[in-house]
Amino acid sequence: MGSVTTLLIAALVAFPSGLAGVAPDCTSTDWLIGECPYISAGIEGDGVVVRGEQNSPGNSSGGSGTGTPGTNSVNGQGTGSGTGTTTCGFAVCRDNYTATAPVTLADLVNFRPTPGTDSMQPNGWMVVGLHTNFYAQASVQVQSGQLLGQAATVRFTPVRYHWTYGDGSARSTATPGATWQAQGLGEFEPTATSHSYRSPGTYVIDLTIDFAAEYHYGASTQWVPIAGVLPVPANRLVAVAGHAKTVLVEHHCAANPSGPGC
Amino acid sequence: MGFRMRAVALTAVALLLAGCVPNEPTVTARPPAVDPVFASDEEALAAAVEAYERYLAVADEVRADGGADADRISSVVTTNQLPDELESFERLRELGLITRGLSMFDSAELQSMAPAKGGIAVTIYACYDASGIEVVDSVGSVSRPNPTRQLFELTFESDLTNEKHLLLARSAPWDQSQPC
């Protein structure tokens, strides 16, 4: 039996735990021929990973074998050798037989939302005891990529905003805030996202925006929510707080009647 | 319209114009009782199982013919599901594949029932068993599905001409981590 058996076996790729997974609609025919991908998505690191896994049937091939007669010894025992292929099912493989084990195709695609931006009014400085208006700008983002030959699409939606004001205080809001003008407010008026500093100094203000994520795959247009949220840092602001009497303005009130303090 | 009815109607119009209609409590008529399509969960499940058997029988026939005359499947699926089925058979034909053997299933369980267009939608889980199926390509190579069993979520909807007669409306393999 000096035959060669070649087995090409693909390793199964396990999904990381914690990923939400669905199998898109799929007919029995597509499932039989390995056209039903299994899709899962989860938040990993600083982005969303969408993974696809698709099984293809294993196959086997062969035909009738040929052999050369053995030589008989005196005591009636013989040896022989043969070459050729044999017909056999996948699980019963023998001489000169090539089989391909069921193959699992695995693919993944990464998505990262574009960070939002943090802005402040007045820009770059604060008046001690008066409100400084911080506001975020972040948008709903839709990104697509190719996964197992079909489109995987992820939608990021900003859902929560976390400010740390650099003076030991912090605030989390569901609103991104807006400029005083957009809210119809006057300068230094309190807003849902404003903050008042008690002491002069230089402060570092950080904003992290939580994005919720959803995805869909292939022909489906139904968004599938991904568990958890993705915190994405925005730009850092560094600003100086001072007393009103020390604040410098660009123009005097006669030239700019709407300027700070006028 | 007789005199009495005309008088009542005219009075009502006059009251409406004068804004003098009293606020009497609204009496809402109870909707007429509707017979459920299936008398029990068991009956619904049995109807879905029969529908899936019919579907698999026709699908096996079409696959055995390499996807030829795929329109046969229209007798066992809804019009919404039909394009997906036809596309699948077309893929089979383009790949030059046929299947041999019979599809089976077991462990059918009722998931839900809901009103649907023209009747009812019945969703079940079932373990599709392809252990008896071989896929044969154009040169005679034989392959077998892997794995041979898969849990499916299946939705069936009433045939528009007979609400108790169900047709396959949706087919989705369930989470691979679920045992079958």
Side-chain angles (χ1 to χ4, degrees):
Chain A
M1 295 281 184
S3 60
V4 177
T5 299
T6 306
L7 290 176
L8 305 174
I9 299 175
L12 290 177
V13 180
F15 282 103
S17 59
L19 293 183
V22 297
D25 290 4
C26 195
T27 67
S28 59
T29 303
D30 279 342
W31 187 82
L32 284 170
I33 61 177
E35 292 284 336
C36 291
Y38 178 77
I39 306 299
S40 64
I43 291 171
E44 294 183 25
D46 57 354
V48 161
V49 176
V50 182
R51 296 173 189 273
E53 185 176 298
Q54 187 166 305
N55 292 325
S56 296
N59 66 50
S60 59
S61 61
S64 57
T66 59
T68 56
T71 54
N72 290 330
S73 61
V74 176
N75 62 7
Q77 294 177 330
T79 58
S81 64
T83 59
T85 54
T86 55
T87 302
C88 67
F90 171 68
V92 226
C93 305
R94 295 194 300 192
D95 299 349
N96 296 316
Y97 171 74
T98 299
T100 303
V103 173
T104 298
L105 299 174
D107 196 3
L108 62 84
V109 59
N110 284 283
F111 299 94
R112 286 192 188 88
T114 302
T117 57
D118 191 11
S119 302
M120 62 183 289
Q121 292 178 302
N123 188 15
W125 55 275
M126 299 86 89
V127 178
V128 172
L130 298 180
H131 277 268
T132 303
N133 184 34
F134 296 95
Y135 59 96
Q137 289 170 298
S139 57
V140 175
Q141 303 167 40
V142 177
Q143 301 177 9
S144 291
Q146 284 291 304
L147 183 70
L148 294 172
Q150 295 197 61
T153 305
V154 171
R155 179 168 67 184
F156 295 103
T157 303
V159 292
R160 199 147 188 91
Y161 306 83
H162 306 278
W163 273 278
T164 56
Y165 296 112
D167 61 352
S169 58
R171 172 181 281 182
S172 292
T173 68
T175 174
T179 63
W180 276 313
Q181 293 83 352
Q183 299 182 69
L185 298 173
E187 290 179 326
F188 302 108
E189 287 196 49
T191 69
T193 56
S194 65
H195 182 65
S196 176
Y197 289 84
R198 293 182 177 179
S199 305
T202 300
Y203 294 95
V204 174
I205 301 102
D206 285 317
L207 166 66
T208 299
I209 301 175
D210 287 343
F211 286 88
E214 307 156 284
Y215 75 99
H216 65 68
Y217 179 74
S220 170
T221 56
Q222 185 176 357
W223 292 105
V224 179
I226 298 171
V229 293
L230 183 63
V232 179
N235 56 298
R236 169 171 283 184
L237 298 174
V238 180
V240 177
H243 291 289
K245 62 184 179 183
T246 64
V247 170
L248 296 176
V249 295
E250 194 172 0
H251 300 288
H252 55 76
C253 288
N256 181 15
S258 62
C262 296
Chain B
M1 187 182 288
F3 171 77
R4 187 183 179 85
M5 289 182 69
R6 259 199 306 271
V8 170
L10 286 172
T11 305
V13 169
L15 286 170
L16 274 171
L17 290 173
C20 296
V21 177
N23 289 326
E24 291 186 359
T26 305
V27 178
T28 305
R30 178 178 290 182
V34 176
D35 287 337
V37 176
F38 296 111
S40 66
D41 289 357
E42 291 73 21
E43 192 179 321
L45 177 61
V49 165
E50 282 179 25
Y52 197 38
E53 287 171 345
R54 286 193 298 272
Y55 162 78
L56 289 178
V58 177
D60 279 340
E61 286 177 13
V62 176
R63 287 190 286 258
D65 294 337
D69 299 326
D71 284 340
R72 283 174 280 177
I73 204 71
S74 62
S75 64
V76 288
V77 301
T78 62
T79 52
N80 284 342
Q81 177 68 9
L82 182 60
D84 288 350
E85 296 289 339
L86 295 179
E87 285 173 19
S88 294
F89 292 131
E90 180 61 19
R91 271 191 286 277
L92 188 81
R93 197 185 63 76
E94 288 173 352
L95 292 168
L97 301 173
I98 66 166
T99 63
R100 294 192 299 230
L102 298 177
S103 298
M104 297 178 289
F105 69 97
D106 54 61
S107 309
E109 287 182 23
L110 182 68
Q111 183 217 65
S112 63
M113 285 190 286
K117 182 178 54 180
I120 194 168
V122 179
T123 299
I124 68 169
Y125 296 116
C127 280
Y128 178 64
D129 182 350
S131 59
I133 297 282
E134 291 179 331
V135 182
V136 186
D137 69 13
S138 55
V139 296
S141 296
V142 176
S143 61
R144 292 181 185 280
N146 170 56
T148 55
R149 289 169 63 81
Q150 171 68 49
L151 184 63
F152 270 77
E153 184 187 43
L154 304 156
T155 299
F156 300 88
E157 291 178 4
S158 296
D159 188 340
L160 293 178
T161 59
N162 178 357
E163 62 184 7
K164 287 182 182 291
H165 186 260
L166 299 180
L167 303 171
L168 181 67
R170 180 173 172 265
S171 160
W174 197 239
D175 190 333
Q176 288 186 332
S177 63
Q178 297 297 314
C180 183

